[in-house]
């Protein structure tokens, strides 16, 4: 019941959080007051995420099992209290996508993968631009270059025409590389699962058709046997009649 009620508030908080995080980076001339307001919005959104986790923990029948199965959620809420790790708050949006992806496992995987890829590319571009913009002679100085670098990195292409040179930018790059490898594994596994399911369905359909044909042949054989038995039963008195007449 709680998760159903919080579906739209969490979606709204996620959108506000992304907007408040991205705006100061895309428009650095907003001033200190504007940055302060956006920072307040990000913390309010984070507070909604933390409230959701706390309420779900309170309503859990087995709190120890809930904590064990939601350690990742807890780390996402606790670690961003450290300012240097505030970007981890963005990962919370992935959990919201996962919870609202539908009941189908295949649909959940597809929506989660597509949403995660788009979100990681966008946020990595923002993070690396924020880190590199103030670095002298940095190859990444605007958002289009940052997006291009993010796409080439997450797809493991890595042309090398754009690359981070600051420490923070390289940390973002390492995380993006790992995310690219993980997403590639998810896509490969999903495609393999889809192919296996298609082959299995085709095999099951072929077996069903074969069983239907066998059942039809069995029915025809039984009908022929019954017809032959009837014919034999009808011919037996006729065949014995002349012999009885001759004896008489």
């Amino acid at each position: 019941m709680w998760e159903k009620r919080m579906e739209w508030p969490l979606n709204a908080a996620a959108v506000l959080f992304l907007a408040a995080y991205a705006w100061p980076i895309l428009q650095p001339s907003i001033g200190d007051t504007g940055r302060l307001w956006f920072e307040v919005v990000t913390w309010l959104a984070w507070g909604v995420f933390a409230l959701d986790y706390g309420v779900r923990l309170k309503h859990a029948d087995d709190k120890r099992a809930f904590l064990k199965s939601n350690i990742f959620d807890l780390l996402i809420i606790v670690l961003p209290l450290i300012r240097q790790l505030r970007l981890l708050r963005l990962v919370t949006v992935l959990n919201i996508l996962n919870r609202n992806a539908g009941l189908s496992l295949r649909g959940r995987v597809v929506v989660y993968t597509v949403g995660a890829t788009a979100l990681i590319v966008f946020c990595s571009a923002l993070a690396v631009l924020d880190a590199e913009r103030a670095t002298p002679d940095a190859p990444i100085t605007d958002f289009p270059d940052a997006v291009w670098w993010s796409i080439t990195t997450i797809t493991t292409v890595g042309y090398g025409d754009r690359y981070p040179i600051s420490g923070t930018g390289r940390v973002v790059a390492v995380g993006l590389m790992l995310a690219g490898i993980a997403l590639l594994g998810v896509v490969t596994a999903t495609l393999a699962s889809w192919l296996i399911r298609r082959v299995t369905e085709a095999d099951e359909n072929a077996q069903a058709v074969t069983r239907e044909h066998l059942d039809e042949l069995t029915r025809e054989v039984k009908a022929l046997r019954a017809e032959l038995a009837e014919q034999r039963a009808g011919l037996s008195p006729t065949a014995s009649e002349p012999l009885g007449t001759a004896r008489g």
Side-chain angles (χ1 to χ4, degrees):
M1 182 64 70
W2 169 260
E3 293 184 1
K4 188 66 176 178
R5 290 179 179 177
M6 288 298 295
E7 182 175 344
W8 285 106
L10 286 175
N11 288 333
V15 172
L16 288 175
F17 180 85
L18 286 175
Y21 177 79
W23 201 309
I25 298 175
L26 297 176
Q27 190 177 355
S29 59
I30 60 174
D32 294 337
T33 302
R35 290 180 181 276
L36 177 61
W37 278 108
F38 284 122
E39 186 72 15
V40 170
V41 171
T42 59
W43 280 109
L44 289 175
W46 175 86
V48 174
F49 301 147
L51 174 65
D52 175 65
Y53 180 86
V55 173
R56 287 191 292 127
L57 174 61
K58 180 181 178 181
H59 292 166
D61 296 331
D62 189 345
K63 292 181 173 51
R64 181 174 298 180
F66 178 86
L67 290 173
K68 289 182 179 180
S69 60
N70 293 276
I71 293 178
F72 186 66
D73 293 350
L74 180 61
L75 291 177
I76 290 174
I77 293 174
V78 174
L79 290 180
L81 292 174
I82 305 173
R83 185 176 179 81
Q84 290 76 6
L85 299 177
R86 64 178 182 172
L87 186 61
L88 290 177
R89 275 177 274 170
L90 293 168
V91 186
T92 307
V93 183
L94 297 179
N95 289 342
I96 297 173
L97 286 174
N98 189 33
R99 286 169 56 177
N100 297 328
L103 299 177
S104 172
L105 178 60
R106 186 182 302 174
R108 185 184 296 269
V109 171
V110 171
V111 173
Y112 186 80
T113 303
V114 173
T117 303
L119 183 63
I120 291 173
V121 167
F122 177 70
C123 294
S124 297
L126 290 175
V128 77
L129 178 61
D130 191 28
E132 297 293 306
R133 177 179 284 157
T135 305
D137 301 325
I140 302 174
T141 57
D142 55 32
F143 187 65
D145 286 343
V147 172
W148 171 252
W149 166 83
S150 185
I151 293 174
T152 57
T153 302
I154 198 172
T155 55
T156 67
V157 175
Y159 285 110
D161 54 343
R162 297 289 184 269
Y163 53 88
I165 60 176
S166 67
T168 303
R170 290 176 176 175
V171 170
V172 174
V174 171
L176 186 58
M177 294 173 194
L178 296 176
I181 295 173
L183 288 173
L184 181 62
V186 171
V187 171
T188 304
T190 303
L191 179 60
S193 175
W194 179 78
L195 289 174
I196 292 173
R197 182 167 182 81
R198 294 293 296 179
V199 172
T200 302
E201 289 177 353
D203 186 51
E204 290 177 352
N205 291 335
Q207 290 181 2
V209 172
T210 302
R211 285 193 297 267
E212 184 178 354
H213 288 170
L214 289 175
D215 293 340
E216 184 177 355
L217 289 174
T218 302
R219 288 192 296 268
E220 290 180 358
V221 170
K222 289 182 178 180
L224 289 173
R225 286 180 177 178
E227 185 177 352
L228 288 174
E230 290 177 359
Q231 291 179 358
R232 288 176 181 176
L235 290 175
S236 180
T238 306
S240 60
E241 184 177 351
L243 181 60
T245 305
R247 287 181 179 180

